Structures are given as structure tokens and as C-alpha cells.
Amino acid sequence: MRVSLLPLLASATPIFAAAGDGDWATAYSKAKTALAKLSTANKVTMVTGMGWEKGPCVGNIAAIAAIGFPELCLQDGPLGVRYAQQVTVFPAGIMAGSTWDTSLMYARGYALGSESKALGVHVQLGPVGGPLGKIPEGGRNWEGFSNDPYLSGVGMANTINGMQAAGVQACAKHYIGNEQELNRNTQSANFDDRSIHELYLWPFAEAVKANVSSVMCSYNKIHSTWSCESETMLDLLKEELDFQGYIVSDWGAQHTTAGSANAGMDMAMPGDNFGDNKFLWGSALTSAVSSNQVSASRLDDMVTRILASWYLVGQDSGYPTVKGWSSWNGGKGGPNVQGDHKTVARAIARDGIVLLKNEGGALPLNKPASLAVVGYDAVTNPQGANGCVDRKCDNGTLAMGWGSGTAEFPYLIAPLDAIKAQVTKDGTTLTTSTSDTPSAGAAAASSAATAIVFLNSDSGEGYITVEGNAGDRNNLDPWHHGNDLVAAVAAVNKKTIVVVHSVGPLILESILASPNVVAVVWAGIPGQESGNGLVDILYGSTSPSGKLPYTIAKATADYGTAVSASDDPYTEGLFIDYRHFDQKAIAPRYEFGFGLSYTTFSYSNLTISALSTAAGSTAMAPGGQVGLYDIVATVSVTITNNGTVAGAEVPQLYIGLPSSAPSTPAKQLRGFDKLSLAAGASGTSTFKLRRKDLSYWDTTSKSWKVPTGAFSVMVGASSRDIRVTGTLQ
Ligand code: NOJ
């Protein structure tokens, strides 16, 4: 399927874009024909990485001439092609999540996949469904879409469909329970079966349903067994979800030869353990097969899965090869693959912005006579946008976190760059202070009509420590004493606007305590088009339409989850983020799903169909039992833009299960839509509920069960701003 991006941007897509071509039967039949031509040595070659830095990509599989199988390139990452030059750096997953816009998620995936393909990358290592983000400080949460499994699942499915339609194999990672960076190589995730199914497995189930070609098993343990050796967890994918593709180890996450093979791992990466030249597969796997520690049929299964995935996305004909560039030479020399993808990047950098506070119409700005721009986060890192390797610093504006989920900026439009262009047009007098020094900020702001203070908060992968944060964040305060900077500016400027670039929630109480902070703009992790997307919102060429993909609490302890040095018992069970705030009746500062607009919307005409009582088919297909995904009810609502400017609203459908279900969160997101409406216009959102959306995981029968009784239907503008309610039965 070849589609151009522009129609996708203009028209609404269903919440789960149609799964890609997904013809596994044809792919398997080709794979089996090819398998018959391979020797055991060939087969072992196909499942064992060549070794760290032994090929141009972060992971490489040697070519197998007998069947025309090329040297396979596996490359990070979830927001752009890592290390290569002249690629697009998209907003991070968390900002795609905060758009709640499935068209943009798909368009981003398609553009990512197109760039990978043009560079000869066969397997792009993303998107991220784990960490899910149960711990607000978790270092890699920004790589994924949301800590709500439904929103994350929608992000996964649409991204994968886009990527694979463009021709690259997607890799859903990190499976599973890698919720923090501290001790990620040793910690055991001791979660219960129900939490696994209803929270952590959910986004991966959507990925499998979208025909993802590969899944990456994670570094951590699960109930004391390494993730890549946990037959229980790998069976969930291959048996319960009918996953047809292959399971690749995270880099160095393999620990044994036979244990990993027999548990169901299919590809070892990077082969050795980061250059130690010790291969747990390779010749060791050949011996294990000849001594029957690993069956020949298991090896055949690994190879068949890898080949089938390669055929599935059509990489067997006319696929580009990696030419001229390598991860290890600064990525120079490859083709410029950016095309017009900056349009998609800018749309997400704009529509993912969440307006948290806007008193007295402080925003949008309308040709202010004077403006102060304050904070280090307003400008590009003085060492250059790519000045710190793998973004190992928090210098200048934050547009991506750090670690393997990074890419090299082709350019970075910092906030001040874009604001300067606008003030020139408007004839506004601009003063600036581009440090985080409070007294300098106050001096710049004291005589300006409006002051904008830029703050950030960074995190990343645990192999890097930045300003004392070893991957996970040490706290939920703005970095560089941002609260002091805001206090100093707000003390001298009555119209102080705070813009935040953050990997996740921050505690904003100190900032909000100042009456002079009239607006707060949550500008996410926006990638290369940061400033342009921001100016679109600040100056109102577009109304803000992003919604929080997590809760912003009043106090860190309110989340009820934290980074832990020992094994994690997951005692919170199902109650993470808004599920927990609801359970404990804690008032959040800004709840999950919250976001303001420059216009207002009303909700009316809630219509709820009857619940189908038909039994679902138990036939299997990727995603699991086919019947789980039947539409069993529909809910619709009319949304009216009753304000004076155009805008987009995200009506959200939350479901409360009947009391016959065992203890379940009071409400859970089970649908959403994004409607663009001119002032005065109305539109209808229709939510299609699938059997799984109305089920809980029954740990006794080990199956999804639709509980008997009446379901509460809640549709609103956020998880706490429910506008219309009804029942479904
Ligand atoms: C380890 C990271 O966890 C993973 O996300 C990445 O894809 C690999 N390294 C390869 O860089």
C-alpha cells in the first residue's frame, strides 16, 4: 500500500488505521521455500548478529547469497534514523501521543519508515510500547506515547502501520516490564497476570494486531527470569497473541544459548555483547542444535519468522542497501532522505502542544508592543544542536531526550529563532536573557509588556548520566532551578507566560502560585520544528488542541509509584496514573486528557447502541482471538465549536465496568477522536467499542471476559471533565 502523506493530514482516519498488507500466509509460504535452501550454518547466520560495530548499523545480520538475502540492517530509533545525517528529527513518541491524532501518528510512522527505507535500513527499532510509563520519573517514558495502554496502543498501531506501509520492518520494544532505567539489567518486574494483560501487554497486542514484524525483548527480568528467556512472556506473544514475526533481543539482553532459544527468542543482537566477541549463538547455537539442546525445528522456526517478516513488507525486491554511510563514521555520506517530512514534524510539534493555563486571554499573542524571552531553553545548545553525543547534556532548548532513542538534527528551529521572525513581522521590541540566571531574566523582563520564560526537564537511557540524573529523573522539578527563574520574572512582569519542554510531568505548584503567571504552555519534546510549532500556537495561527498523555500531579507522592532499587512488586496493580488518582480520590493539578483551546466546545446527543450478545470467534489471528476485536457497541456524540475561532477538540470516551467485574479502575479510556471544527460548526464523533475494550482479564480462566451488567459510558474533554454520561448494556 503506497499512500501520500497529504491526504492523510487532511482527512480523519479510523482510530486504528487499517492493518498493513499483512499477508502472513503468502510471506510464510515464500519463507518456507527459502528455508529449504539453507544449510544449518546459513540458519545460524541469520539468527546471530555479526557483532557490535561489525557492520554499518547498530545491528547487522550477514548476507546469505543462496537465497539473495541481503546484509540486514537494524537501526534505531523511534523518532528518526539514528546516527545518519540529513534525516528528519520528529517529535518524540510522547508528543505524537499528546496530539491524540491518529492521522498524524500514521503520517509520522510513514515518514519514519520512508527515511529508513531510503537509507537501506531494514528494521527500524521502534516504536516504544514499554516502558508504558507507570513511574513518572522513568527515563525513557518520552520515547513511548502515553502511560494509558489504550492511547499507547493506538500510537503503536498507527505508527507501525505507517512504517510498514512505507516498507521498513517495525520493531515494537521493549518487551516487557522495563519501566525504569535504574538497575534495568537486573531488576525483576514481578507483576500480576491481570496487570500484565490490561496494562503492559496491551500496547504490544495492538502492535501484533497491526502485523508488526518484530518485537524486542527487554533487559530486565520478569518474576526472576530474564525477559528474553521467559517462555511465559514470549508465549504470550506467540501463542496468545498469535505473533507471526520474530523476537529480537535488546542489545546484550541475551544471557544463555539454549535458554533463550528454547524460550522463544529468534534473533540475538548485536550478536556479541557490545564488542566482547563472545557470541552466545553463532557456533554455540550450532553445537546446541547438534547436541539436541535446541531442536532443529526451533532453529527453523526462528529463521522462518525472520524470512517471513522480510517478505511481508516486500523487502525481497528492489530494497535499497546501506550506501555511503555508517553509524560509526558520523553517519555522513548517505542520501538526503528528508523529503517534505518537516511538514509532518511541524504539525506534530504544533498539535501536540497542550495549553494548561490561559488567564484573561493572555494567549494568543497579538502583536505585543514589547516581549521578553527568558531562559536557556529558548535557544539552541551553544555547542550546536548535536553538540552532545546521543544528546548527553541539557544545554539549550530540549527537543529530544538522551540515549539510543536520539537522531542527529539536520537543523533545529529553537523557540527564539521562530519568535524573532515573528517579532520582526509584528514590529515588537524584543529583549532576551538566554541563561537560567534569575536576576538576568528579571532584568530582561521588567519593562516588557509580556515575558515568556522557557523551562525544561530531561531524561534518557541509563548508560548516560546528565547533571546527576542516571537515566531516570531525580525529581519532578524543572531543571536548572526553573522555579526560581519563573519567580524572578513573575515578580517584575504581570504577564508572564511559562513554556515547558519536558519528558514527562513536572510539579508546577510553585510556578502556579504566582498570580503573574498568566499562561502555561506544555510544549512536549518537539524535535527539529520546535520553534515553528510553538509560534503557531503562541500567536494563534492554530488553536491548541493537544491533551495531556499523563497526569500532572500537585505532589510527586500523589502518583503512588516511584523508581525502586530492588525488584518491583507492582503493588499498585491496575492503578497507575489517572486510575490511581480516581481510586484514591486525589485531585490532580492537570488531569490525564486535559488541554485548553482558544475556543470552547459543547457536548450533546450522546447515543449508545445496545451491547451485542453474540459470542466472538475464537479463531486466531495476529492480536489474538479474532472475536476480541469485533465491534460490539458504538457510542456517538455531537461536538459543537461554540466559540469564535476554529479549533480541534478531542472527545474522550471512558468506560466503567459493571460491578460484577473484579476490582477495576472507575474509568478507563476506550476511545477518542479528534475533530477540527470551524467556529459555530458541529461534528459527530463515533466510538467503536471492541469486545476487548469492554472486558477484563479473568485470571482463573485466563481469558478476556465481558462482565454482566450495565457499563458506565462517560464522554468528556478530559478524564475529569466528563460532559455527557449514559449506560451501555
Ligand atoms: C538498547 C536500547 O534499549 C534499545 O532501545 C536500542 O534499540 C538498542 N540499545 C540498540 O541501540
Side-chain angles (χ1 to χ4, degrees), residues 428-482:
T428 300
T429 303
L430 181 68
T431 48
T432 63
S433 166
T434 57
S435 76
D436 289 326
T437 309
S439 55
S446 60
S447 56
T450 297
I452 310 181
V453 184
F454 285 86
L455 305 179
N456 70 34
S457 173
D458 200 359
S459 73
E461 200 174 339
Y463 69 91
I464 287 171
T465 295
V466 178
E467 299 184 30
N469 296 261
D472 305 316
R473 288 187 288 167
N474 291 340
N475 56 55
L476 301 183
D477 293 327
W479 283 33
H480 308 159
H481 306 287

Short mmCIF file of all heavy atoms in Angstrom, two decimals, residues 428-482:
data_model
loop_
_atom_site.label_atom_id
_atom_site.label_comp_id
_atom_site.label_asym_id
_atom_site.label_seq_id
_atom_site.Cartn_x
_atom_site.Cartn_y
_atom_site.Cartn_z
N THR A 428 7.49 44.18 17.10
CA THR A 428 7.57 44.09 18.56
C THR A 428 9.01 44.33 19.02
O THR A 428 9.95 43.84 18.39
CB THR A 428 7.13 42.67 19.02
OG1 THR A 428 5.78 42.46 18.60
CG2 THR A 428 7.24 42.48 20.51
N THR A 429 9.17 45.05 20.12
CA THR A 429 10.51 45.24 20.70
C THR A 429 10.86 44.00 21.53
O THR A 429 10.10 43.61 22.43
CB THR A 429 10.53 46.47 21.62
OG1 THR A 429 10.09 47.59 20.85
CG2 THR A 429 11.91 46.73 22.19
N LEU A 430 11.98 43.39 21.22
CA LEU A 430 12.35 42.13 21.88
C LEU A 430 13.52 42.33 22.82
O LEU A 430 14.53 42.92 22.43
CB LEU A 430 12.72 41.10 20.79
CG LEU A 430 13.12 39.71 21.26
CD1 LEU A 430 11.92 38.98 21.87
CD2 LEU A 430 13.70 38.91 20.10
N THR A 431 13.38 41.84 24.05
CA THR A 431 14.54 41.76 24.94
C THR A 431 14.74 40.30 25.30
O THR A 431 13.76 39.54 25.38
CB THR A 431 14.34 42.56 26.25
OG1 THR A 431 13.07 42.24 26.79
CG2 THR A 431 14.42 44.05 26.00
N THR A 432 15.97 39.88 25.51
CA THR A 432 16.22 38.46 25.79
C THR A 432 17.21 38.28 26.92
O THR A 432 18.08 39.13 27.16
CB THR A 432 16.79 37.73 24.55
OG1 THR A 432 18.05 38.32 24.22
CG2 THR A 432 15.86 37.82 23.36
N SER A 433 17.06 37.14 27.59
CA SER A 433 18.08 36.68 28.53
C SER A 433 18.13 35.17 28.35
O SER A 433 17.21 34.46 28.75
CB SER A 433 17.69 37.02 29.97
OG SER A 433 18.51 36.28 30.85
N THR A 434 19.17 34.68 27.70
CA THR A 434 19.17 33.27 27.34
C THR A 434 20.04 32.43 28.27
O THR A 434 20.66 31.46 27.86
CB THR A 434 19.62 33.11 25.88
OG1 THR A 434 20.90 33.71 25.73
CG2 THR A 434 18.63 33.76 24.93
N SER A 435 20.02 32.81 29.54
CA SER A 435 20.61 31.95 30.57
C SER A 435 19.48 31.60 31.53
O SER A 435 18.36 32.08 31.38
CB SER A 435 21.72 32.68 31.32
OG SER A 435 21.13 33.60 32.24
N ASP A 436 19.80 30.78 32.53
CA ASP A 436 18.79 30.47 33.54
C ASP A 436 19.03 31.28 34.81
O ASP A 436 18.52 30.94 35.88
CB ASP A 436 18.80 28.96 33.85
CG ASP A 436 18.22 28.16 32.68
OD1 ASP A 436 17.30 28.67 32.01
OD2 ASP A 436 18.69 27.04 32.43
N THR A 437 19.77 32.35 34.70
CA THR A 437 20.08 33.18 35.87
C THR A 437 18.89 34.09 36.19
O THR A 437 18.51 34.92 35.36
CB THR A 437 21.33 34.05 35.59
OG1 THR A 437 22.35 33.18 35.11
CG2 THR A 437 21.79 34.79 36.82
N PRO A 438 18.30 33.94 37.37
CA PRO A 438 17.09 34.69 37.69
C PRO A 438 17.24 36.21 37.56
O PRO A 438 16.37 36.87 36.98
CB PRO A 438 16.79 34.28 39.14
CG PRO A 438 17.41 32.92 39.28
CD PRO A 438 18.64 32.95 38.43
N SER A 439 18.34 36.77 38.07
CA SER A 439 18.45 38.24 38.04
C SER A 439 18.51 38.75 36.60
O SER A 439 17.91 39.77 36.25
CB SER A 439 19.69 38.69 38.81
OG SER A 439 20.82 38.02 38.28
N ALA A 440 19.19 38.00 35.71
CA ALA A 440 19.28 38.41 34.31
C ALA A 440 17.91 38.30 33.65
O ALA A 440 17.50 39.17 32.86
CB ALA A 440 20.30 37.55 33.58
N GLY A 441 17.17 37.26 33.99
CA GLY A 441 15.83 37.10 33.44
C GLY A 441 14.93 38.24 33.87
O GLY A 441 14.19 38.81 33.05
N ALA A 442 15.01 38.59 35.14
CA ALA A 442 14.17 39.68 35.66
C ALA A 442 14.53 41.00 34.97
O ALA A 442 13.65 41.79 34.60
CB ALA A 442 14.35 39.80 37.17
N ALA A 443 15.82 41.21 34.75
CA ALA A 443 16.25 42.46 34.10
C ALA A 443 15.66 42.54 32.67
O ALA A 443 15.17 43.59 32.26
CB ALA A 443 17.77 42.53 34.05
N ALA A 444 15.68 41.42 31.96
CA ALA A 444 15.15 41.43 30.59
C ALA A 444 13.64 41.62 30.57
O ALA A 444 13.08 42.20 29.64
CB ALA A 444 15.53 40.13 29.88
N ALA A 445 12.98 41.13 31.63
CA ALA A 445 11.51 41.09 31.61
C ALA A 445 10.86 42.33 32.21
O ALA A 445 9.66 42.57 32.00
CB ALA A 445 11.03 39.85 32.38
N SER A 446 11.62 43.11 32.96
CA SER A 446 10.98 44.12 33.81
C SER A 446 10.21 45.18 33.01
O SER A 446 9.18 45.66 33.46
CB SER A 446 12.00 44.77 34.73
OG SER A 446 12.99 45.37 33.94
N SER A 447 10.69 45.53 31.84
CA SER A 447 9.94 46.58 31.15
C SER A 447 9.18 46.08 29.93
O SER A 447 8.67 46.88 29.14
CB SER A 447 10.90 47.72 30.77
OG SER A 447 11.94 47.17 30.00
N ALA A 448 9.08 44.76 29.77
CA ALA A 448 8.36 44.22 28.61
C ALA A 448 6.88 44.03 28.93
O ALA A 448 6.50 43.75 30.07
CB ALA A 448 8.97 42.89 28.20
N ALA A 449 6.04 44.19 27.91
CA ALA A 449 4.59 44.01 28.10
C ALA A 449 4.29 42.56 28.49
O ALA A 449 3.44 42.28 29.33
CB ALA A 449 3.86 44.36 26.81
N THR A 450 5.01 41.64 27.88
CA THR A 450 4.81 40.21 28.14
C THR A 450 6.19 39.56 28.25
O THR A 450 7.11 39.95 27.52
CB THR A 450 4.04 39.56 26.96
OG1 THR A 450 2.75 40.18 26.88
CG2 THR A 450 3.87 38.07 27.14
N ALA A 451 6.30 38.58 29.15
CA ALA A 451 7.55 37.82 29.25
C ALA A 451 7.24 36.35 29.05
O ALA A 451 6.25 35.83 29.59
CB ALA A 451 8.20 38.04 30.60
N ILE A 452 8.07 35.68 28.27
CA ILE A 452 7.92 34.22 28.12
C ILE A 452 9.15 33.58 28.74
O ILE A 452 10.28 33.86 28.33
CB ILE A 452 7.82 33.79 26.65
CG1 ILE A 452 6.76 34.63 25.91
CG2 ILE A 452 7.47 32.31 26.55
CD1 ILE A 452 6.58 34.23 24.45
N VAL A 453 8.92 32.72 29.73
CA VAL A 453 10.02 32.02 30.39
C VAL A 453 10.04 30.58 29.91
O VAL A 453 9.01 29.89 29.95
CB VAL A 453 9.86 32.03 31.92
CG1 VAL A 453 11.07 31.39 32.59
CG2 VAL A 453 9.65 33.44 32.43
N PHE A 454 11.20 30.12 29.47
CA PHE A 454 11.36 28.76 28.96
C PHE A 454 12.03 27.87 30.00
O PHE A 454 13.10 28.22 30.51
CB PHE A 454 12.17 28.77 27.66
CG PHE A 454 11.36 29.27 26.50
CD1 PHE A 454 11.27 30.63 26.23
CD2 PHE A 454 10.67 28.39 25.70
CE1 PHE A 454 10.51 31.09 25.17
CE2 PHE A 454 9.90 28.84 24.63
CZ PHE A 454 9.81 30.18 24.36
N LEU A 455 11.43 26.72 30.25
CA LEU A 455 11.94 25.75 31.22
C LEU A 455 12.02 24.38 30.56
O LEU A 455 11.31 24.13 29.59
CB LEU A 455 10.98 25.60 32.39
CG LEU A 455 10.56 26.84 33.16
CD1 LEU A 455 9.59 26.43 34.26
CD2 LEU A 455 11.79 27.52 33.76
N ASN A 456 12.81 23.50 31.16
CA ASN A 456 12.74 22.12 30.67
C ASN A 456 13.07 21.11 31.75
O ASN A 456 13.44 21.46 32.88
CB ASN A 456 13.60 21.92 29.41
CG ASN A 456 15.09 21.97 29.65
OD1 ASN A 456 15.58 21.54 30.70
ND2 ASN A 456 15.83 22.49 28.67
N SER A 457 12.88 19.85 31.37
CA SER A 457 13.21 18.73 32.24
C SER A 457 13.52 17.54 31.33
O SER A 457 12.70 17.19 30.48
CB SER A 457 12.03 18.41 33.15
OG SER A 457 12.30 17.23 33.88
N ASP A 458 14.70 16.95 31.54
CA ASP A 458 15.24 15.98 30.59
C ASP A 458 15.40 14.61 31.25
O ASP A 458 15.48 14.50 32.49
CB ASP A 458 16.62 16.52 30.13
CG ASP A 458 17.09 15.91 28.82
OD1 ASP A 458 16.39 15.06 28.26
OD2 ASP A 458 18.19 16.32 28.36
N SER A 459 15.47 13.59 30.44
CA SER A 459 15.80 12.25 30.93
C SER A 459 16.21 11.40 29.74
O SER A 459 16.16 11.87 28.59
CB SER A 459 14.61 11.61 31.65
OG SER A 459 13.61 11.22 30.74
N GLY A 460 16.60 10.17 29.99
CA GLY A 460 17.02 9.33 28.87
C GLY A 460 17.43 7.95 29.32
O GLY A 460 17.02 7.47 30.38
N GLU A 461 18.27 7.35 28.50
CA GLU A 461 18.66 5.97 28.74
C GLU A 461 19.80 5.92 29.76
O GLU A 461 20.68 6.79 29.77
CB GLU A 461 19.07 5.34 27.41
CG GLU A 461 19.03 3.84 27.43
CD GLU A 461 19.31 3.25 26.06
OE1 GLU A 461 19.15 3.94 25.03
OE2 GLU A 461 19.70 2.07 26.03
N GLY A 462 19.78 4.87 30.58
CA GLY A 462 20.63 4.82 31.76
C GLY A 462 22.12 4.69 31.53
O GLY A 462 22.90 4.81 32.47
N TYR A 463 22.58 4.48 30.29
CA TYR A 463 24.04 4.40 30.08
C TYR A 463 24.67 5.79 30.09
O TYR A 463 25.89 5.93 30.04
CB TYR A 463 24.39 3.64 28.79
CG TYR A 463 24.04 4.31 27.48
CD1 TYR A 463 24.95 5.13 26.83
CD2 TYR A 463 22.79 4.11 26.90
CE1 TYR A 463 24.63 5.75 25.63
CE2 TYR A 463 22.46 4.72 25.70
CZ TYR A 463 23.37 5.54 25.07
OH TYR A 463 23.05 6.15 23.88
N ILE A 464 23.81 6.79 30.15
CA ILE A 464 24.29 8.17 30.20
C ILE A 464 23.73 8.84 31.45
O ILE A 464 22.56 8.62 31.80
CB ILE A 464 23.83 8.94 28.93
CG1 ILE A 464 24.61 8.48 27.70
CG2 ILE A 464 23.93 10.44 29.11
CD1 ILE A 464 24.08 9.03 26.39
N THR A 465 24.55 9.63 32.11
CA THR A 465 24.09 10.43 33.25
C THR A 465 24.23 11.90 32.88
O THR A 465 25.28 12.32 32.39
CB THR A 465 24.92 10.11 34.51
OG1 THR A 465 24.67 8.75 34.88
CG2 THR A 465 24.56 11.01 35.68
N VAL A 466 23.17 12.65 33.07
CA VAL A 466 23.23 14.09 32.78
C VAL A 466 22.86 14.86 34.04
O VAL A 466 21.78 14.65 34.61
CB VAL A 466 22.27 14.46 31.62
CG1 VAL A 466 22.30 15.98 31.37
CG2 VAL A 466 22.65 13.73 30.34
N GLU A 467 23.75 15.73 34.44
CA GLU A 467 23.54 16.57 35.63
C GLU A 467 23.04 15.73 36.82
O GLU A 467 22.11 16.11 37.53
CB GLU A 467 22.57 17.71 35.30
CG GLU A 467 23.12 18.62 34.20
CD GLU A 467 22.25 19.83 33.89
OE1 GLU A 467 21.57 20.32 34.81
OE2 GLU A 467 22.27 20.28 32.73
N GLY A 468 23.65 14.56 36.96
CA GLY A 468 23.34 13.72 38.12
C GLY A 468 22.11 12.84 37.96
O GLY A 468 21.76 12.09 38.86
N ASN A 469 21.48 12.91 36.80
CA ASN A 469 20.31 12.04 36.55
C ASN A 469 20.77 10.85 35.70
O ASN A 469 21.09 11.01 34.52
CB ASN A 469 19.21 12.82 35.81
CG ASN A 469 18.66 13.96 36.65
OD1 ASN A 469 17.61 13.84 37.27
ND2 ASN A 469 19.37 15.08 36.67
N ALA A 470 20.75 9.67 36.31
CA ALA A 470 21.29 8.49 35.64
C ALA A 470 20.21 7.80 34.80
O ALA A 470 19.84 6.66 35.04
CB ALA A 470 21.87 7.54 36.68
N GLY A 471 19.69 8.51 33.84
CA GLY A 471 18.60 7.98 33.02
C GLY A 471 17.27 8.47 33.55
O GLY A 471 16.66 9.40 33.01
N ASP A 472 16.81 7.87 34.66
CA ASP A 472 15.58 8.33 35.31
C ASP A 472 15.80 9.73 35.89
O ASP A 472 16.92 10.09 36.25
CB ASP A 472 15.23 7.38 36.47
CG ASP A 472 15.12 5.92 36.02
OD1 ASP A 472 14.52 5.68 34.96
OD2 ASP A 472 15.65 5.04 36.73
N ARG A 473 14.70 10.46 36.02
CA ARG A 473 14.83 11.79 36.62
C ARG A 473 14.92 11.67 38.14
O ARG A 473 14.25 10.85 38.75
CB ARG A 473 13.63 12.65 36.24
CG ARG A 473 13.65 13.09 34.79
CD ARG A 473 12.54 14.08 34.49
NE ARG A 473 11.22 13.47 34.48
CZ ARG A 473 10.08 14.15 34.49
NH1 ARG A 473 10.10 15.48 34.54
NH2 ARG A 473 8.92 13.52 34.45
N ASN A 474 15.73 12.51 38.74
CA ASN A 474 15.87 12.51 40.19
C ASN A 474 14.65 13.09 40.89
O ASN A 474 14.37 12.79 42.04
CB ASN A 474 17.09 13.32 40.62
CG ASN A 474 18.38 12.64 40.21
OD1 ASN A 474 18.40 11.44 39.95
ND2 ASN A 474 19.46 13.41 40.12
N ASN A 475 13.94 13.96 40.20
CA ASN A 475 12.75 14.58 40.80
C ASN A 475 11.90 15.17 39.68
O ASN A 475 12.29 15.13 38.51
CB ASN A 475 13.15 15.67 41.81
CG ASN A 475 14.04 16.71 41.16
OD1 ASN A 475 13.69 17.30 40.14
ND2 ASN A 475 15.23 16.92 41.73
N LEU A 476 10.76 15.70 40.06
CA LEU A 476 9.83 16.27 39.07
C LEU A 476 9.83 17.79 39.11
O LEU A 476 8.80 18.43 38.89
CB LEU A 476 8.42 15.70 39.30
CG LEU A 476 8.29 14.17 39.21
CD1 LEU A 476 6.82 13.75 39.38
CD2 LEU A 476 8.83 13.64 37.88
N ASP A 477 10.98 18.37 39.40
CA ASP A 477 11.12 19.83 39.35
C ASP A 477 11.73 20.22 38.01
O ASP A 477 12.50 19.44 37.43
CB ASP A 477 12.06 20.32 40.47
CG ASP A 477 11.44 20.10 41.83
OD1 ASP A 477 10.20 20.18 41.94
OD2 ASP A 477 12.21 19.80 42.77
N PRO A 478 11.44 21.45 37.56
CA PRO A 478 12.14 21.91 36.35
C PRO A 478 13.64 21.93 36.61
O PRO A 478 14.08 22.17 37.73
CB PRO A 478 11.61 23.32 36.13
CG PRO A 478 10.58 23.58 37.16
CD PRO A 478 10.53 22.43 38.12
N TRP A 479 14.42 21.69 35.56
CA TRP A 479 15.88 21.69 35.72
C TRP A 479 16.40 23.12 35.84
O TRP A 479 15.71 24.08 35.49
CB TRP A 479 16.51 20.99 34.51
CG TRP A 479 16.40 19.48 34.61
CD1 TRP A 479 15.37 18.78 35.19
CD2 TRP A 479 17.33 18.52 34.13
NE1 TRP A 479 15.61 17.43 35.09
CE2 TRP A 479 16.81 17.23 34.44
CE3 TRP A 479 18.55 18.59 33.46
CZ2 TRP A 479 17.48 16.05 34.10
CZ3 TRP A 479 19.20 17.41 33.12
CH2 TRP A 479 18.67 16.15 33.44
N HIS A 480 17.61 23.21 36.29
CA HIS A 480 18.34 24.48 36.37
C HIS A 480 17.60 25.50 37.23
O HIS A 480 17.53 26.68 36.89
CB HIS A 480 18.58 25.08 34.96
CG HIS A 480 19.22 24.12 34.01
ND1 HIS A 480 19.14 24.25 32.65
CD2 HIS A 480 19.95 22.99 34.22
CE1 HIS A 480 19.79 23.26 32.05
NE2 HIS A 480 20.28 22.49 33.01
N HIS A 481 16.99 25.03 38.31
CA HIS A 481 16.27 25.92 39.23
C HIS A 481 15.22 26.76 38.51
O HIS A 481 15.08 27.96 38.74
CB HIS A 481 17.26 26.82 39.99
CG HIS A 481 18.33 26.04 40.68
ND1 HIS A 481 18.10 25.30 41.81
CD2 HIS A 481 19.64 25.83 40.35
CE1 HIS A 481 19.22 24.67 42.18
NE2 HIS A 481 20.17 24.97 41.31
N GLY A 482 14.49 26.11 37.63
CA GLY A 482 13.50 26.81 36.82
C GLY A 482 12.44 27.53 37.65
O GLY A 482 11.93 28.59 37.24
#
